Amino acid sequence: MKPVKIAILSLTHGHTRKYFQTLHDNPALDWVAVSAESEEIRDVFYHYGYHEIPCYMSDDEMFDAHPEIEAVVIASANSRHLEQVRNCARRGIHILSMKIPTFDLAEYDEMMKVVSESGIVCQIELEMHYNPVVFRMKELFAKKALGNVASFNATNITLSPVWAFPWQGVPELSWGSRVPLREGDPRFRGGALCDHPHIFDMIRWLTGSDYEYIYAEVGPNLRTDIEEEDIILVNGKMKNGVSFLLDPSWSRLEERLKVPAPGWEIFPKRMEVNFNISGDKGVMLVDSFGPNVYHNGAPNDRYTVQYTYFDEWIGLIDEFVDCIRNHHIPKINLGWHRRTIEAVNACYESVRTGQPVYF
Amino acid sequence: MMVKTEIEALKGLLDKYDVPYAGGDLEIKVPLQPWRCNRKYVELKKLVTSETLEHPCLLRFCHLTASSTPLEELLYREFDLAEFICGHKIQALHAVFTDGRSGNVIIKMDNGIVGSVEVGNLLPEGAAEVDRHEIIARRGVGSDMVVDTQIPQQSIYLMTKDGDQAYKDTDSELYGLDEKGIERIRAAFEFLKDPQSAAFHTAQDASLKQAVAAALTSNETHKKIEL
């Protein structure tokens, strides 16, 4: 199969660096170029050692210099996604979108329209779908190993990336506008909840059901100097009767590094996606990112989880290439993902009103 | 030796990554050390080479299986892991076994690191293997076993009316295969990408067989043996 000529836009998203090795190693891809939003970001990119990849200071400059580019990873702040999707659709360039295309549903619908009209592939990066532990969960669900599922509890808890990726700490760039969490609360939408859509997606995928209602509550911030929520709990019920509790908090503290590096975490495990699922035949406990290797060495002599099995980006890219070359629709496409975005929005609405939101 | 499903999975990887091969290439005669491709050992080695752990002094290895795995096989694997993770050769050893089924070896590496290698094949058939690899350094301890636990963790625990099950799935490209099968496939894949590595693997095999034989001799003679 002819390799897909691919580029990365912006380089400001927290997942950007996870693509470097995949784009470099995967023979189905020909990594052509990147665009950076500032010289500082360009310098950070070259710090990773990919000096053979040209870096441009604007998307258009890159596209004009490399008309051979067929596809891009849009790795920017949420607030820039619409303009970049429009640009790619106009140029007929396929898109691998970050996990949040936008929270503004009018913008979202415009993205769906331009993607549909241009005929490009637009795949949403929800990498949990390519995690081998999740493969096993899906298989056990398909076999009804738990019988009828009764309750679904999931965590997607991490450190906060705002020091390394400052746009995630700016409500206008993360959420899309400056909306207070609720009357009298000095904080705004755009924090931990916006960073962690995976479990909102997984419950839909695994149960095959849709949200009936959703309730959310924010706690006092662990980080008192950021202006968005970092602790939030969500519960509710699916239409098939499954009750759920979702925890998408930034509840693991971090060193305030400008570039992610060893020693970023203060709590040993910087990121977890765990599930406790009960059914009428029994219980399933799942750690999607475990077991691992552990140490308390350099740089901070703290007990640390050294992530050991982390290959979601391989399957994700394989599907993207397959969709481009064989004209398939990605399983995680804009249409599928819209309900997950609506669920996140409903959480903020619930926080605002103090009551559940019905779908 | 790979089983048919593993050979098919290997072919899938070779095709995906455009690695040239002929049918006969898949019957690999070179004695590989496949655990070197297991990512948990790769990460442990990285902790040493990146100097996250500074100046390793002591290894604490353990590998317990059921009787279908000969003690010699366990010693071969664990001795190789010691050399792989430390990047040094075993220089001397002293071994004590009971009935050829369990025991331990004290090894000394050529840079002075010492290590304990506990092996045994007395687990009941069907029991999950127990292994642990701990590196103790002047700065830091690394391990593939989480602190304050005694058995290796799994990714999924399923407790139902039909009994308990546990799963550890670590490789999305080789999903569904067990850990040892994945090691064999990944090792064969790496070898076919770099057939020049045959000389290394063959020499390492000879060296490890010598170390295993020395351990058995040490057990019989009650003497430390220099390699």
Side-chain angles (χ1 to χ4, degrees):
Chain A
M1 198 187 300
K2 191 176 142 201
V4 171
K5 294 190 180 300
I6 194 165
I8 310 179
L9 305 186
S10 293
L11 302 175
T12 54
H13 196 281
H15 284 181
T16 306
R17 69 192 190 287
K18 295 175 181 171
Y19 285 98
F20 295 163
Q21 190 179 352
T22 301
L23 266 59
H24 185 265
D25 293 351
N26 193 324
L29 299 174
D30 180 2
W31 187 7
V32 174
V34 298
S35 66
E37 292 203 356
S38 70
E39 290 181 359
E40 186 183 5
I41 287 163
R42 179 196 60 196
D43 293 345
V44 169
F45 170 69
Y46 281 128
H47 172 75
Y48 285 97
Y50 297 99
H51 297 283
E52 74 280 14
I53 305 296
C55 181
Y56 296 86
M57 299 312 293
S58 86
D59 299 348
D60 283 329
E61 186 190 353
M62 181 185 75
F63 287 137
D64 292 344
H66 295 279
E68 73 274 24
I69 290 172
E70 298 175 84
V72 294
V73 179
I74 295 184
S76 55
N78 296 342
S79 59
R80 289 213 58 207
H81 290 170
L82 177 61
E83 61 166 295
Q84 290 178 317
V85 168
R86 282 180 186 143
N87 196 8
C88 290
R90 193 166 56 244
R91 292 172 180 268
I93 292 170
H94 304 291
I95 295 167
L96 184 58
S97 163
M98 293 294 105
K99 54 197 171 186
I100 305 299
T102 173
F103 288 110
D104 182 315
L105 292 178
E107 285 190 2
Y108 199 100
D109 290 339
E110 184 183 339
M111 287 183 185
M112 290 179 71
K113 182 167 178 284
V114 298
V115 164
S116 170
E117 287 175 354
S118 64
I120 61 172
V121 170
C122 180
Q123 180 175 331
I124 313 298
E125 179 222 56
L126 289 180
E127 70 275 12
M128 295 304 299
H129 285 269
Y130 311 91
N131 174 302
V133 178
V134 173
F135 289 172
R136 180 71 67 181
M137 282 177 74
K138 288 179 180 175
E139 198 172 291
L140 293 168
F141 266 75
K143 286 185 196 165
K144 290 187 77 74
L146 293 176
N148 294 312
V149 174
S151 66
F152 185 107
N153 291 1
T155 55
N156 183 176
I157 56 181
T158 66
L159 46 66
S160 173
V162 299
W163 321 109
F165 306 101
W167 66 266
Q168 290 194 262
V170 179
E172 291 86 345
L173 306 185
S174 175
W175 165 255
S177 58
R178 183 164 287 260
V179 178
L181 287 179
R182 58 191 166 200
E183 195 176 332
D185 195 308
R187 296 168 297 173
F188 300 89
R189 298 178 180 187
L193 179 59
C194 293
D195 196 25
H196 294 150
H198 301 285
I199 45 181
F200 292 86
D201 166 75
M202 273 291 136
I203 188 171
R204 296 174 57 216
W205 191 270
L206 289 168
T207 64
S209 188
D210 193 6
Y211 293 100
E212 182 185 347
Y213 64 89
I214 201 161
Y215 172 82
E217 189 76 65
V218 291
N221 269 21
L222 296 175
R223 301 160 190 82
T224 53
D225 51 349
I226 64 174
E227 55 180 355
E228 299 163 336
E229 83 286 353
D230 66 9
I231 294 289
I232 181 163
L233 294 173
V234 177
N235 71 359
K237 197 160 253 194
M238 304 299 281
K239 285 184 172 153
N240 65 354
V242 173
S243 58
F244 62 83
L245 172 71
L246 307 177
D247 181 351
S249 300
W250 284 334
S251 53
R252 306 311 194 199
L253 288 176
E254 65 285 331
E255 296 292 344
R256 297 183 170 194
L257 305 183
K258 288 192 78 176
V259 177
W264 197 12
E265 59 280 278
I266 291 176
F267 185 78
K269 192 166 187 173
R270 69 171 69 159
M271 180 270 298
E272 85 170 38
V273 179
N274 284 11
F275 300 86
N276 286 7
I277 304 169
S278 298
D280 56 18
K281 281 179 71 177
V283 171
M284 184 193 300
L285 309 178
V286 179
D287 177 353
S288 305
F289 296 103
N292 291 286
V293 163
Y294 313 87
H295 73 85
N296 70 332
N300 295 329
D301 309 307
R302 291 190 187 121
Y303 195 68
T304 302
V305 172
Q306 171 102 350
Y307 287 95
T308 302
Y309 307 106
F310 217 140
D311 63 3
E312 290 74 23
W313 272 261
I314 296 173
L316 185 143
I317 287 289
D318 286 349
E319 184 182 357
F320 187 48
V321 170
D322 178 60
C323 288
I324 291 170
R325 287 287 177 253
N326 299 310
H327 310 291
H328 295 151
I329 296 173
K331 66 183 168 200
I332 312 303
N333 53 62
L334 284 166
W336 161 263
H337 193 45
R338 195 178 190 280
R339 185 58 120 187
T340 296
I341 297 295
E342 289 173 344
V344 172
N345 287 345
C347 291
Y348 281 127
E349 183 61 12
S350 175
V351 168
R352 187 184 72 79
T353 63
Q355 294 298 329
V357 172
Y358 283 78
F359 285 79
Chain B
M1 187 69 112
M2 287 192 289
V3 298
K4 194 176 168 195
T5 51
E6 292 170 3
I7 289 173
E8 289 305 312
L10 173 61
K11 282 183 189 170
L13 281 183
L14 294 167
D15 291 340
K16 178 178 177 183
Y17 290 99
D18 292 331
V19 178
Y21 68 99
D25 294 345
L26 303 180
E27 293 170 27
I28 295 167
K29 302 287 196 301
V30 174
L32 303 177
Q33 290 79 40
W35 37 86
R36 288 178 176 236
C37 290
N38 188 321
R39 280 187 262 175
K40 70 177 179 178
Y41 305 129
V42 171
E43 290 298 325
L44 285 175
K45 180 179 178 64
K46 261 168 57 182
L47 292 179
V48 174
T49 55
S50 65
E51 297 189 321
T52 301
L53 305 177
E54 294 177 4
H55 303 291
C57 298
L58 171 63
L59 307 177
R60 293 178 62 239
F61 286 8
C62 167
H63 197 159
L64 307 176
T65 69
S67 61
S68 53
T69 307
L71 213 60
E72 291 83 348
E73 198 174 302
L74 294 175
L75 290 167
Y76 183 104
R77 177 185 174 105
E78 297 305 318
F79 287 169
D80 185 56
L81 281 170
E83 295 190 350
F84 174 64
I85 290 168
C86 291
H88 286 271
K89 301 291 286 182
I90 297 172
Q91 187 182 61
L93 56 78
H94 181 260
V96 184
F97 303 124
T98 302
D99 300 330
R101 300 289 304 278
S102 69
N104 58 77
V105 186
I106 293 175
I107 57 174
K108 184 155 194 173
M109 314 301 288
D110 62 15
N111 63 343
I113 294 174
V114 296
S116 63
V117 179
E118 178 189 356
V119 289
N121 61 13
L122 290 165
L123 280 174
E125 289 300 328
E129 289 187 10
V130 175
D131 70 336
R132 180 198 66 228
H133 302 84
E134 185 174 293
I135 309 151
I136 296 153
R138 286 183 190 147
R139 185 179 191 183
V141 174
S143 178
D144 54 8
M145 186 90 84
V146 70
V147 67
D148 217 14
T149 56
Q150 298 180 75
I151 55 171
Q153 297 294 296
Q154 306 293 314
S155 307
I156 296 182
Y157 297 95
L158 182 68
M159 294 154 281
T160 71
K161 294 171 183 169
D162 301 327
D164 295 350
Q165 299 272 349
Y167 303 91
K168 181 180 167 191
D169 294 293
T170 58
D171 190 321
S172 62
E173 290 183 306
L174 298 175
Y175 173 73
L177 295 159
D178 65 26
E179 193 167 6
K180 296 276 174 60
I182 290 170
E183 287 180 356
R184 285 189 288 272
I185 295 164
R186 288 284 174 198
F189 179 59
E190 291 303 318
F191 173 69
L192 291 170
K193 283 199 297 185
D194 179 21
Q196 303 289 322
S197 64
F200 165 79
H201 289 295
T202 303
Q204 182 67 3
D205 175 65
S207 160
L208 290 167
K209 282 176 174 162
Q210 189 187 4
V212 171
L216 299 177
T217 303
S218 171
N219 173 57
E220 286 171 11
T221 60
H222 304 186
K223 289 194 184 313
K224 172 183 174 180
I225 295 184
E226 303 278 346
L227 297 171

